[in-house]
């Protein structure tokens, strides 16, 4: 049996996330949106910070229900800025609210899952990286998806954030080929 991808270290929360969630193809539109919002909050921070606060985010953001969040205003922004359980960035909070509105427009038109997955013909890309240094921070595909998201009104979804999102949601399988999770994610495709 191979070794896990080195980025997850030994923190039990991070290891569990790596082993059971990261890279598994996600098709649920609301779950996809939640992960994109969380990746936006992660900008400039370590993912483990967001992972440790994820349940607080879920409570503060109404279970990441876009229809509820899309109606929020300044009082909700103020409430979130006072919540020590989340990342308190006005720009990221306001982006999440705006992103909920953009999500709803896409969902009504074609479905958020369809909007994302059609760019890959519905099938995850199966990369075959052997060392972490081979894994890119962004790709032409993440640049195109980020551009499309921006055109829809999304913020905090640039090419690097979008690629991290694609990795997390299994749109690309970036587990190293030496990692046992590579095969399980490929089989889930």
């Amino acid at each position: 049996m191979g070794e896990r991808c080195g980025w997850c270290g030994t923190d039990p929360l991070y290891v569990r996330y790596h082993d059971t969630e990261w890279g598994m193809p996600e098709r649920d539109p609301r779950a996809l949106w939640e992960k994109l919002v969380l990746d936006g909050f992660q900008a400039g921070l370590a993912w483990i910070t967001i992972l440790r606060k994820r349940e607080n985010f879920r409570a503060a953001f109404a279970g990441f229900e876009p229809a509820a969040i899309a109606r929020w205003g300044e009082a909700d922004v103020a409430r979130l800025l006072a919540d020590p359980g989340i990342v308190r960035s006005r720009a990221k909070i306001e982006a999440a609210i705006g992103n909920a509105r953009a999500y709803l427009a896409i969902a009504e038109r074609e479905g958020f899952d369809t909007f994302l997955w059609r760019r890959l013909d519905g099938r995850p890309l199966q990369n075959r990286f052997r060392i972490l240094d081979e894994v890119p921070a962004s790709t032409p595909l993440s640049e195109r998806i980020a551009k499309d998201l921006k055109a829809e009104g999304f913020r905090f979804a640039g090419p690097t954030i979008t690629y991290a999102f694609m990795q997390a949601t299994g749109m690309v399988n970036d587990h190293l080929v030496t990692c046992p999770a590579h095969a399980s994610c490929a089989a889930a495709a």
Side-chain angles (χ1 to χ4, degrees):
M1 180 155 112
E3 292 185 24
R4 283 183 184 92
C5 302
W7 57 261
C8 73
T10 59
D11 182 295
L13 180 63
Y14 225 175
V15 169
R16 186 171 53 255
Y17 173 74
H18 168 276
D19 290 356
T20 64
E21 188 174 345
W22 192 82
M24 291 301 289
E26 179 61 69
R27 305 285 181 169
D28 178 78
R30 198 227 36 91
L32 286 164
W33 183 75
E34 174 183 337
K35 288 181 179 186
L36 184 58
V37 171
L38 289 174
D39 272 315
F41 272 97
Q42 185 259 329
L45 303 169
W47 178 247
I48 190 67
T49 301
I50 302 304
L51 202 52
R52 288 180 179 139
K53 293 177 177 276
R54 184 160 58 170
E55 292 308 316
N56 295 334
F57 270 105
R58 286 176 173 157
F61 279 86
F64 285 99
E65 179 51 51
I69 296 167
R71 294 189 303 268
W72 288 358
E74 186 54 40
D76 298 290
V77 172
R79 172 183 57 80
L80 293 167
L81 285 170
D83 187 338
I86 66 167
V87 173
R88 296 179 287 181
S89 161
R90 176 177 284 278
K92 292 175 182 180
I93 291 167
E94 290 175 346
I97 295 168
N99 291 353
R101 295 173 186 139
Y103 168 93
L104 291 174
I106 293 169
E108 184 176 316
R109 185 177 70 239
E110 65 181 304
F112 192 61
D113 53 331
T114 301
F115 174 82
L116 294 167
W117 280 99
R118 69 178 157 88
R119 286 155 177 78
L120 294 106
D121 295 326
R123 298 189 45 79
L125 298 176
Q126 299 298 322
N127 290 323
R128 303 215 28 95
F129 301 121
R130 297 197 64 73
I131 59 172
L132 287 176
D133 286 346
E134 293 176 337
V135 181
S138 66
T139 64
L141 180 58
S142 75
E143 291 170 10
R144 189 168 77 242
I145 293 173
K147 183 178 177 182
D148 293 345
L149 287 166
K150 183 177 182 180
E152 294 289 342
F154 277 81
R155 294 183 300 163
F156 282 93
T160 302
I161 289 171
T162 298
Y163 194 69
F165 163 75
M166 292 169 65
Q167 292 171 309
T169 60
M171 294 175 79
V172 296
N173 183 355
D174 274 357
H175 283 284
L176 300 181
V177 293
T178 55
C179 175
H182 187 278
S184 60
C185 288

